[in-house]
Amino acid sequence: MDTEAQSQPGAGSLSWRLSSHPITLLTFLGFRISSVLVYFLGLWIIQSMIMIFIVTILLLAADFYYLKNIAGRRLVGLRWWNEIDPASGEAKWVFESSEPGTKVVNATDSRFFWLALYVQPVLWVVMAVLALVGLQFLWLPLVIIALVLTIMNTLAFSRCDKFSQASNLAGSAFGSTNLAGSIASNMMGRLFSRN
């Protein structure tokens, strides 16, 4: 019994079996890994630049959508989007986080999410450097598109997380059940959604 307890991974370990949403987690990781692998391995295996470009763009688009709308909300309780004010034409980022008492974020889901979120842009920067060093300038547009999509999601979720923490802190400082708590949470939400 003691050896069985030792062989079980602890909470927050990087084991997909501990995830609260294993299908969401595996799909998220699949999109994150597949776009880099198709690009990197496609350079040597597939000789068709057009095929690699199309498949990588499709995987990046699927990853961007899935991360922004599904994985972020289910794994860490965060979501973001961009709204355009029809009167002024000004773009505004909107951040959404689950209520503090309604969603318990699994430590394993959170570790996988944030690790994958920050590692992928680094991998695309490495791919950009390799393309420059190898004088493969035709691949740079694809790498730049990948960098823009992955960095945008990384920055947006980082700001969304800061918004969530600040909003929760403000709400708990004044008590979330009274009027002052909701005013403080709304003020913090407005502060971060305007930037």
Side-chain angles (χ1 to χ4, degrees), residues 71-189:
R73 191 181 69 230
R74 293 198 74 197
L75 297 177
V76 291
L78 301 173
R79 191 168 161 230
W80 67 272
W81 63 91
N82 193 342
E83 289 182 351
I84 305 291
D85 183 14
S88 67
E90 183 179 310
K92 179 176 107 174
W93 289 45
V94 180
F95 303 109
E96 178 182 277
S97 64
S98 59
E99 293 296 322
T102 60
K103 170 115 175 127
V104 176
V105 177
N106 182 323
T108 298
D109 291 339
S110 180
R111 283 191 68 197
F112 268 117
F113 180 84
W114 293 110
L115 186 64
L117 192 70
Y118 288 115
V119 166
Q120 192 181 29
V122 172
L123 291 175
W124 283 110
V125 167
V126 169
M127 299 297 175
V129 169
L130 290 175
L132 287 172
V133 169
L135 301 175
Q136 297 175 333
F137 300 116
L138 290 176
W139 291 107
L140 282 179
L142 176 60
V143 174
I144 289 170
I145 291 169
L147 278 169
V148 167
L149 290 175
T150 58
I151 289 173
M152 180 181 285
N153 252 338
T154 302
L155 291 174
F157 274 107
S158 296
R159 292 186 74 184
C160 193
D161 187 45
K162 287 180 185 175
F163 160 75
S164 171
Q165 291 174 3
S167 181
N168 292 342
L169 181 66
S172 65
F174 290 105
S176 59
T177 59
N178 61 18
L179 180 62
S182 56
I183 291 172
S185 293
N186 288 336
M187 285 176 42
M188 291 308 292

Side-chain angles (χ1 to χ4, degrees), residues 16 19 21-32 66 75:
W16 67 271
S19 173
H21 307 284
I23 294 173
T24 303
L25 178 65
L26 292 175
T27 305
F28 163 65
L29 293 174
F31 282 134
R32 295 249 101 176
Y66 192 79
L75 297 177

